[in-house]
Amino acid sequence: LLSFLSSLAAPTGGKILLNGEDVSTIDKYKFRSNYVGVMFQSFNLLPHLTALENVELSMDISGKKFDDRHQKAIELLEKVGLTADEGDRRILKLSGGQQQRVAIARALSYDPQIILADEPTGNLDGETQTEIMKIFKMLSMEGKCIIIVTHSPAVASVSDVVYELRKGSPV
């Protein structure tokens, strides 16, 4: 589902519409670097970079212009609960919860309206899961559309809308 919504895979039938426009008609690079932020289950952060550098790199790749890219990246990390010291650490020196926060900041770095998250709390303890869900709730209240794929009843219980799939079909 997330592969289709992020245009990483094309559906064999039907259409995916964004604001009434078939996403297959939008340049894939432009679509993924402007409209949708993706958070992978395994984070997909670059381990040889710091948290801050991971966010800045995503901003560079988007092709968008920023008045002060470095400062915006710092603000995004702070928004998701990371300190300046944590932002300067290499990814492998961060906990799983901290890495997840970097992944959220990276997904937000070019200000997409849609965030797609694949099992964003799957590898986290209960307390960190609650903190991450608070961040998602805050983002949704700021107007972001957050689409989460999860097996966690706790995560589903704090979501606004839940669709349950069984063997690929809605229940």
Side-chain angles (χ1 to χ4, degrees):
L1 176 64
L2 293 182
S3 292
F4 293 137
L5 295 177
S6 63
S7 284
L8 291 171
T12 55
K15 296 179 186 176
I16 297 174
L17 303 176
L18 175 66
N19 298 325
E21 184 178 0
D22 184 345
V23 298
S24 69
T25 66
I26 303 171
D27 176 75
K28 302 290 180 251
Y29 177 79
K30 180 180 178 185
F31 179 74
R32 285 192 292 267
S33 62
N34 287 273
Y35 300 109
V36 63
V38 180
M39 294 177 50
F40 299 94
Q41 185 172 2
S42 60
F43 309 138
N44 287 1
L45 299 169
L46 298 174
H48 64 284
L49 298 179
T50 66
L52 188 60
E53 290 166 341
N54 267 273
V55 175
E56 290 176 328
L57 179 62
S58 179
M59 295 166 82
D60 290 343
I61 291 170
S62 77
K64 288 188 173 182
K65 301 293 180 214
F66 300 93
D67 291 334
D68 188 343
R69 175 182 61 89
H70 184 75
Q71 184 57 40
K72 179 171 173 59
I74 289 170
E75 290 169 4
L76 284 168
L77 289 171
E78 288 174 351
K79 181 176 190 166
V80 298
L82 292 175
T83 66
D85 178 58
E86 292 163 337
D88 287 333
R89 291 186 199 159
R90 295 207 185 281
I91 293 304
L92 296 179
K93 299 287 183 182
L94 297 173
S95 71
Q98 290 167 324
Q99 289 181 34
Q100 186 62 286
R101 291 167 195 270
V102 175
I104 295 170
R106 183 186 60 190
L108 293 170
S109 66
Y110 45 88
D111 198 27
Q113 284 307 108
I114 303 167
I115 304 293
L116 304 174
D118 183 11
E119 291 286 355
T121 62
N123 299 317
L124 305 177
D125 62 69
E127 182 180 334
T128 307
Q129 173 178 285
T130 299
E131 293 170 7
I132 296 300
M133 291 310 296
K134 284 181 183 176
I135 293 169
F136 284 138
K137 201 59 136 165
M138 171 194 65
L139 293 170
S140 74
M141 295 183 82
E142 292 175 0
K144 300 287 184 201
C145 173
I146 312 292
I147 299 174
I148 299 172
V149 171
T150 186
H151 290 96
S152 168
V155 169
S157 73
V158 297
S159 300
D160 294 331
V161 178
V162 176
Y163 294 98
E164 184 177 347
L165 299 177
R166 290 200 186 136
K167 295 185 181 181
S169 299
V171 191

